[in-house]
Amino acid sequence: MTLHTLNASPASAVFADCLGMLAAGDALLLLGDGVYAGMAGTGARAKLDACGAQLYVLRDDTAAAGLLERMDAITVIDFDGFVALSEQFPRQLAWY
Amino acid sequence: MASRKRLLLLIRHSPYGSSLARASLDVALAAAAFDQPVSLLFTGDGVLQLLPDQDSAALGVKNPGRLLASLPLYDIEQVYVDAEAAARYQIDLNAAPVPALALDRRAISALVEQHDHLLGF
Amino acid sequence: MLPASAFDKEGFLRHLKDWTPQVARQIAAAEQLELTDAHWEILYLLRDYYAEFDSSPAMRPLVKYCARKLGNDKGRSIYLMSLFPGSPAKLGSKIAGLPKPDNCL
């Protein structure tokens, strides 16, 4: 059980590397440019939905990107939520 | 006795594109010098660090390949490699500077579960 | 004799290529150490290590490397301590003209 954070756009190689490491039971928090991977209806989002990890986006970064209404079914969290999530997972890994 | 947390370094950047390769190896050597159990997993472009015959002399920077060869002297006898990533670049692991064990997805997940902390480079 | 500017604040040689046996004697003298054949064997081994691995060794790898190259009698920390008192990896590297070991705290 690992909490992954992704701060890179879905066009980057980092996105593919991260996707490859996501296991069932893991969680993925999208932040920074990572929020673009959560856009409903995109190919990147379909890949995230298929990987079986729980998905989260960081509110401030999502709002900045203009995407708060386009994150269908992804849980939007603030920094307190990020902290709470960190406490739930024994390991954390940053993708950037 | 102080608890010994098992550390897994996830190495996914090419050797000369940034200083991350060198930084990850410095962490590995520092942990090993302090008797902390540390494992290295090369994935993504990180597998490019395992190419033989690297010569960075003309660049005037350190050669991560050479440093990798010293890992067994730090009691890190082998490193782990994402088999898919190695195949993508046709890396011959038998020619790698340090003994390298290729792992599939399932084995990588198991490896992650065996460690207490992950650090990405 | 090299001028003081050839060395850093801790007395490590700034440029690997400036090293000669004479420079080694100069650094050793500053450390109140007289170099014997046993010292030279380790100094050349340290330079070989640097050439092979692009880094200066910490203590443990130095001991293992000595055992590998010179045999188990010399691949022991007590042997290295007798030649280079205190911190053999650091002191040996210094006299061999190598940069200070990264992990030698």
Side-chain angles (χ1 to χ4, degrees):
Chain A
M1 295 236 303
T2 302
L3 170 63
H4 302 258
T5 59
L6 173 64
N7 185 350
S9 96
S12 68
V14 179
F15 177 73
D17 289 347
C18 171
L19 206 58
M21 284 288 289
L22 288 172
D26 286 355
L28 173 65
L29 169 63
L30 305 173
L31 45 82
D33 275 356
V35 302
Y36 297 108
M39 293 176 72
T42 63
R45 172 62 186 275
K47 287 178 185 166
L48 290 183
D49 285 336
C51 78
Q54 306 164 51
L55 302 178
Y56 300 87
V57 286
L58 198 61
R59 175 178 299 279
D60 292 356
D61 295 352
T62 309
L67 295 177
L68 273 178
E69 302 303 318
R70 301 184 59 177
M71 289 292 171
D72 283 8
I74 295 187
T75 308
V76 179
I77 61 173
D78 56 16
F79 280 102
D80 287 345
F82 186 0
V83 172
L85 209 52
S86 301
E87 289 170 343
Q88 281 174 38
F89 287 84
R91 283 179 297 272
Q92 194 170 323
L93 183 58
W95 299 90
Y96 50 89
Chain B
M1 188 181 138
S3 69
R4 283 152 43 102
K5 297 284 189 183
R6 287 157 303 180
L7 178 63
L8 176 62
L9 307 182
L10 196 71
I11 299 173
R12 53 188 176 78
H13 283 87
S14 59
Y16 306 105
S18 67
S19 59
L20 284 165
R22 183 73 197 188
S24 62
L25 296 177
D26 284 344
V27 169
L29 297 192
F34 283 97
D35 269 330
Q36 299 299 305
V38 58
S39 308
L40 287 72
L41 170 63
F42 291 84
T43 184
D45 285 354
V47 299
L48 297 169
Q49 294 186 36
L50 299 174
L51 282 168
D53 304 327
Q54 295 177 57
D55 182 356
S56 62
L59 294 184
V61 298
K62 299 256 189 183
N63 182 333
R66 293 248 203 90
L67 199 51
L68 281 172
S70 72
L71 289 179
L73 292 171
Y74 285 81
D75 294 330
I76 300 172
E77 301 295 343
Q78 67 168 10
V79 299
Y80 302 99
V81 187
D82 176 347
E84 262 177 49
R88 196 180 308 141
Y89 284 113
Q90 297 182 15
I91 308 278
D92 175 9
L93 294 182
N94 294 317
V98 58
L101 182 65
L103 301 180
D104 63 15
R105 284 286 152 212
R106 184 185 295 268
I108 288 173
S109 296
L111 184 73
V112 169
E113 291 299 321
Q114 288 160 18
H115 289 79
D116 299 299
H117 293 297
L118 298 176
L119 278 179
F121 288 93
Chain C
M1 290 283 281
L2 288 177
S5 61
F7 302 93
D8 73 8
K9 274 187 303 204
E10 292 183 66
F12 283 85
L13 198 59
R14 289 186 195 278
H15 301 291
L16 196 62
K17 62 173 175 49
D18 286 347
W19 189 87
T20 62
Q22 185 56 42
V23 171
R25 286 189 202 96
Q26 180 184 345
I27 302 171
E31 300 284 345
Q32 276 110 42
L33 207 63
E34 193 163 335
L35 299 179
T36 65
D37 286 349
H39 290 95
W40 287 110
E41 184 176 49
I42 303 299
L43 294 176
Y44 281 108
L45 178 118
L46 278 160
R47 291 185 66 85
D48 287 348
Y49 184 103
Y50 193 86
E52 187 171 348
F53 300 122
D54 222 354
S55 57
S56 309
M59 188 58 187
R60 182 149 49 128
L62 176 58
V63 169
K64 281 189 97 168
Y65 195 67
C66 285
R68 191 192 279 180
K69 298 283 181 180
L70 306 176
N72 286 333
D73 285 354
K74 292 175 178 171
R76 291 148 47 101
S77 49
I78 193 152
Y79 175 70
L80 296 171
M81 291 287 279
S82 72
L83 293 173
F84 301 97
S87 177
K90 187 176 170 187
L91 185 55
S93 294
K94 192 178 197 177
I95 298 171
L98 309 182
K100 186 180 166 190
D102 293 333
N103 312 305
C104 187
L105 304 178

